[in-house]
Amino acid sequence: MHAQDLLAQRFETQRGQLRAVAYRMLGSLSEAEDAVQETWLRLAGHDTSEVANLPGWLTTVVSRICLDMLRARATRREDPLDLLAELGDTAYDSDPEQEAVLIDSVGRALLVVLDRLGPDERVAFVLHDLFALPFDQIAPIVGRTPATTKKLASRARQRVRGETTPGLAVQRPVVEAFLTAARGGDLAALLAVLAPDVVRIADPAALPAGIAAVVAGATEVAKETVLLQRRSRVAALAVVDGAIGILVAPRGRLLLALVVTVRDDRIAAYEVIADPARLRALEIAVPA
């Protein structure tokens, strides 16, 4: 067999792992595939005779490619309203099958939080905390010392986990029940988890035409939730400003956030935030 064919075979055995690394760094399946393809092109044009550890070499290359892509992306941040315009009527539909599998494996809330990290923090965190690479191997990729790289990962970890807030264990099953009922369009289950005098407030950009910015009463809020059921298909629990809330994040990119108030084991109120400046100001973490 030709040497290039053998090299291609060896690369294919690593493709899945490389795509997993790239997806967690980039949060986009198409960009992850581009990064993996660029890694192959660099491998094909490289003298591999002195490469003792091909998987390690490939991970380093794809990580550097992803880091460059993240740094370039940081100069052209996309607002949620841009995403809504890009996806149009499909914005709240379930993610494409292959991407949905990847999102499930990572966690939608984690992808949102990762997207808020700086490029170097994200690479250091992903490689160390998600793929167990030692800091002395990560340091050359981000161009830092091992000690500084460890600090990058530590800062990222703090942002991913957030602060432990009293009451999260009580809030979580209530908000989880609401999200489950919303996904199923289950009116009875929604009425069971909503307080009778629940109030829903929303940014105008979060609402279809003709829906009021403020809706009160369990029946009206439950009916609206069933009407907007598609949103729940791309939603996930998260810690939002210190309480359990919900993120609506098609393809792992934050579009809406629900800030939820739980009282007496029911949802007493929630606010739907869509304004880009307000979304950026939210403290978001992954629930433990």
Side-chain angles (χ1 to χ4, degrees):
M1 184 178 289
H2 193 276
Q4 195 74 354
D5 294 332
L6 286 172
L7 189 62
Q9 281 191 358
R10 294 178 67 192
F11 179 81
E12 287 303 318
T13 65
Q14 299 299 317
R15 181 181 289 275
Q17 175 74 357
L18 295 174
R19 182 170 58 187
V21 171
Y23 184 73
R24 284 153 180 79
M25 288 189 186
L26 300 170
S28 162
L29 179 57
S30 61
E31 289 184 342
E33 295 285 11
D34 289 345
V36 172
Q37 183 60 24
E38 177 62 24
T39 303
W40 160 248
L41 293 175
R42 294 191 188 185
L43 175 65
H46 184 81
D47 180 5
T48 59
S49 61
E50 296 183 1
V51 176
N53 178 5
L54 184 62
W57 187 91
L58 290 171
T59 298
T60 296
V61 171
V62 78
S63 298
R64 285 175 172 158
I65 291 169
C66 290
L67 181 58
D68 289 342
M69 294 171 73
L70 288 170
R71 287 171 174 169
R73 184 196 292 174
T75 66
R76 49 177 178 81
R77 300 296 295 177
E78 186 179 61
D79 276 338
L81 297 182
D82 296 327
L83 175 59
L84 187 59
E86 174 193 329
L87 298 180
D89 290 339
T90 67
Y92 298 114
D93 287 340
S94 297
D95 301 292
E97 183 176 354
Q98 189 177 16
E99 189 144 18
V101 171
L102 284 169
I103 288 174
D104 287 345
S105 69
V106 180
R108 199 177 296 272
L110 177 57
L111 286 174
V112 170
V113 178
L114 288 177
D115 198 45
R116 291 172 158 234
L117 302 178
D120 292 25
E121 286 180 336
R122 184 166 184 169
V123 169
F125 175 81
V126 167
L127 290 178
H128 181 267
D129 284 50
L130 303 186
F131 291 94
L133 263 67
F135 289 117
D136 59 354
Q137 291 183 27
I138 303 171
I141 296 172
V142 295
R144 310 290 183 96
T145 65
T148 303
T149 304
K150 185 176 182 179
K151 290 179 182 178
L152 287 173
S154 177
R155 286 203 302 266
R157 192 177 306 115
Q158 289 173 0
R159 294 186 63 184
V160 168
R161 294 178 179 173
E163 296 183 5
T164 301
T165 305
L168 293 185
V170 174
Q171 299 163 11
R172 180 167 184 158
V174 178
V175 181
E176 202 163 43
F178 172 77
L179 182 55
T180 299
R183 286 173 176 157
D186 189 333
L187 187 62
L190 286 166
L191 290 172
V193 77
L194 294 171
D197 57 350
V198 63
V199 176
R200 190 278 293 145
I201 303 172
D203 287 340
L207 299 170
I211 295 184
V214 179
V215 174
T219 300
E220 293 305 312
V221 172
K223 287 180 179 178
E224 178 189 276
T225 303
V226 172
L227 180 66
L228 301 177
Q229 179 184 4
R230 291 167 63 195
R231 298 184 176 192
S232 62
R233 300 172 186 166
V234 289
L237 295 186
V239 180
V240 183
D241 278 355
I244 297 293
I246 296 173
L247 307 180
V248 178
R251 302 181 191 179
R253 293 144 76 188
L254 183 60
L255 195 60
L256 306 172
L258 277 65
V259 180
V260 182
T261 300
V262 174
R263 190 178 301 122
D264 298 328
D265 295 328
R266 285 191 169 187
I267 291 177
Y270 66 92
E271 182 176 8
V272 186
I273 297 175
D275 177 76
R278 296 188 68 201
L279 285 174
R280 284 193 293 269
L282 292 173
E283 293 290 333
I284 297 174
V286 179

